[in-house]
Amino acid sequence: TGSSKLHGFVADLSLMSSVRQLAEDVSNKFPVIHGLLNNAGTFDGDYTGKRVVTAEGNEYSLAVNVMAPFLLTALLLDNVRASSEGRVLITSSMSAGYRKGLNDLQLERGYSSHNAYSLSKLCDAMMAVELDRRYGKPPRLCFHTLDPD
């Protein structure tokens, strides 16, 4: 667009090594972050309906939808804290709720695309609540979860 206000970064959110590089690149470019929106979401990693495991050994939906936003937030938390009104938003979904999967986060038993997505979005909502409980200091630092619909 030619705008100096837009900046793009590329990362494979299924690989935590790539998320670490993304965090380093973003941190170097933006020492102060006023808002971080974690909106990653995949429903069926390779569109076959079969469980996909990443090169790092994680179930694909868990890696992209939960682990990547958690790691990125953790690695950029100091940058968000540097803002006088930092906000972290983590997208969940009305589909959140596959509680059985909390005992099997990698869904090695009972995998379905819907279960993987539902579990990941439940974890995202739980993550936002826990991050706010541990680190939230309104109005200086707040964590929120939302359903984009």
Side-chain angles (χ1 to χ4, degrees), residues 79-99:
N79 302 63
V80 178
R81 282 182 170 148
S83 171
S84 62
E85 294 182 339
R87 301 289 181 264
V88 177
L89 303 169
I90 300 170
T91 303
S92 184
S93 171
M94 291 299 289
S95 294
Y98 185 63
R99 293 184 323 221

Side-chain angles (χ1 to χ4, degrees), residues 35-67:
L36 177 62
L37 171 60
N38 291 299
N39 190 34
T42 183
F43 187 82
D44 185 2
D46 65 357
Y47 303 101
T48 64
K50 295 180 180 158
R51 184 175 177 271
V52 176
V53 177
T54 69
E56 295 172 337
N58 296 301
E59 190 278 318
Y60 192 85
S61 295
L62 180 70
V64 171
N65 298 358
V66 181
M67 295 172 66

Side-chain angles (χ1 to χ4, degrees), residues 7 19 28 34 55 57 70 95 102 105 107 109 124 127 129 131 136:
H7 303 274
V19 174
N28 289 337
H34 301 289
F70 178 80
S95 294
L102 291 173
L105 293 177
L107 291 178
R109 297 170 304 280
D124 285 340
M127 175 181 20
V129 170
L131 286 170

